[in-house]
Amino acid sequence: MATFKPSRKIGVGGVEIGPEEKRLVMEALESGRLSAGPLVASFERELARLHQRRYGIMCNSGTSALHVALATLKETERWDDGDEVLVPALTFIATSNSVLYNKMKPVFVDVDACHYTIDPRQIELCITPRTRAIIPVHLFGQPCDMTPILALAEKQGLKIIEDSAQAMFVNDHGRPVGSFGDMACFSTYVAHIIVTGAGGMVVADDPRYAEILRSLVSHGRHTDYTTMDDDREIDPEKLFRIVEHRFAFERLGFSFRATELEGALGMGQLSHKEALLCRRQENARYLTSGLEAFRDCLQLPDVRPDAEHAFMMYPIVITHPRLSRSALIRFLETNLIETRYLFPLLSQPIYRRLFGDLQEHFPVAQRLYQSGFYIGCHPSLGTDELDYVIGKFKEFFAACDWRSMPSE
């Protein structure tokens, strides 16, 4: 039997556009409505409902979602520039950038060595009189341990924004990600759990938050008129008030709006969300089974007890000091298997300029930066691709005398 060989690189992410997505995109195009309309509104309602929230506000990226969520809390809570927000020391840079965009100070917290999310035991050590909020990140699809985080936030009077860019539809102790904090933010960028090309969502329960979020996403408009549907089918008296407010701006906002095409893709993706999620989880289990033989030198992803894992990607951490991450990654990349480092945050040039060298203060995150990487487990990968990936790991370990390598 012929040996499978990929015709192109096996990527860390992929996207599958099915017939329902195509149908809804054509429906949007044929309607002549490209600005946010009924499909965006449906996507907002449904994604919020699936995460046990009253309101969803779609915007153009997960980063924008974080930006306006924190801006909303800053306005409603009357926080000052320079107030502090706790963020994990291992996350994509957008999490902490959103704090800087709001002229606040990110305070980094080390992470859990087993599950890579913010370590609740470290949070209290980082709280100061200027701490205002925590942004726990459900990293790689693994929910944070939210029970102690919620208890600590209540005790200290802190707000919570869940960064759920990499996790959807999975539970921690029976509750879905996105349902714990004051607000939660999702991303629908390419290679995420649900894909709209570009896009993000904030979900919340407080109607005041929802009003301000919609305003901020649309240049800071008056809350009477944030979309072109706000003046449809209403009584004349209300219509005249809205006419007065069509070009009234209450706050410094942003042009973060999504389009109807992204709403169409989102609704199409939701129609087969269970299959997309299950295939990620099945692919992750398949990889774990195939790589079990290397547990003496590789830390494979674990699922926290009483939680589920969305597996946006498949993280691997090298645990043997003689095994070279560089050599393994070079071998995988040469053989058409794409890799990424585990979000080296504090070593980024811009952060070193802003904060100095902080890495030594976060030993777990530092070890993960230096020893970790991830590969894909997305729904586009079939058994042939997964077997090929596993086979290349076996080939690497069989061919190289890695135990005699110098420590990195």
Side-chain angles (χ1 to χ4, degrees), residues 52-74:
Q52 298 181 4
R53 293 294 199 170
R54 293 178 64 191
Y55 304 103
I57 295 86
M58 191 176 186
C59 53
N60 63 354
S61 73
T63 305
S64 298
L66 288 165
H67 189 161
V68 296
L70 190 54
T72 296
L73 288 177
K74 190 179 181 187

Side-chain angles (χ1 to χ4, degrees), residues 154-293:
E154 182 176 4
K155 173 185 173 184
Q156 299 286 349
L158 305 178
K159 296 293 185 179
I160 293 177
I161 298 172
E162 292 174 73
D163 182 341
S164 200
Q166 298 181 13
M168 288 182 178
F169 318 126
V170 288
N171 292 334
D172 175 49
H173 289 82
R175 287 180 59 181
V177 291
S179 69
F180 294 92
D182 297 274
M183 284 180 270
C185 300
F186 299 99
S187 173
T188 56
Y189 182 63
V190 173
H192 284 238
I193 308 299
I194 291 293
V195 174
T196 64
M201 185 87 72
V202 189
V203 295
D205 291 326
D206 189 318
R208 179 59 177 156
Y209 290 168
E211 283 189 353
I212 296 172
L213 288 163
R214 290 199 185 282
S215 171
L216 286 168
V217 164
S218 185
H219 297 283
R221 287 179 184 274
H222 193 287
T223 54
D224 277 350
Y225 187 79
T226 55
T227 78
M228 60 187 292
D229 295 315
D230 288 339
D231 57 3
R232 304 281 174 88
E233 299 179 4
I234 58 176
D235 63 78
E237 183 177 341
K238 187 176 181 182
L239 174 62
F240 184 70
R241 187 175 72 247
I242 287 178
V243 168
E244 291 184 319
H245 291 156
R246 282 177 180 154
F247 276 103
F249 299 89
E250 297 186 299
R251 53 184 56 84
L252 285 176
F254 313 94
S255 182
F256 285 169
R257 293 164 294 186
T259 73
E260 191 73 339
L261 298 179
E262 290 150 359
L265 286 167
M267 286 302 295
Q269 291 263 290
L270 288 181
S271 71
H272 54 111
K273 66 182 186 306
E274 292 91 353
L276 293 172
L277 181 62
C278 284
R279 278 159 59 193
R280 285 183 180 276
Q281 294 167 330
E282 289 167 2
N283 286 349
R285 285 193 291 269
Y286 197 92
L287 286 170
T288 296
S289 177
L291 298 176
E292 281 286 347

Side-chain angles (χ1 to χ4, degrees), residues 123-160:
I123 291 175
E124 193 159 14
L125 302 176
C126 298
I127 293 173
T128 76
R130 297 202 69 175
T131 305
R132 301 291 178 256
I134 309 169
I135 305 182
V137 181
H138 305 309
L139 201 64
F140 309 127
Q142 171 74 73
C144 294
D145 188 5
M146 291 302 300
T147 301
I149 295 173
L150 289 170
L152 185 58
E154 182 176 4
K155 173 185 173 184
Q156 299 286 349
L158 305 178
K159 296 293 185 179
I160 293 177

Side-chain angles (χ1 to χ4, degrees), residues 9 83 90-91 125 150 180 247 317 341 343 392 398:
K9 183 163 281 192
D83 283 348
L90 184 77
T91 182
L125 302 176
L150 289 170
F180 294 92
F247 276 103
V317 178
Y341 292 152
F343 301 124
K392 287 303 172 183

Side-chain angles (χ1 to χ4, degrees), residues 327-347:
L328 177 54
I329 285 178
R330 189 178 300 115
F331 180 83
L332 294 174
E333 293 277 354
T334 301
N335 284 281
L336 299 179
I337 300 168
E338 188 177 25
T339 66
R340 293 281 193 279
Y341 292 152
L342 294 189
F343 301 124
L345 181 66
L346 300 181
S347 63

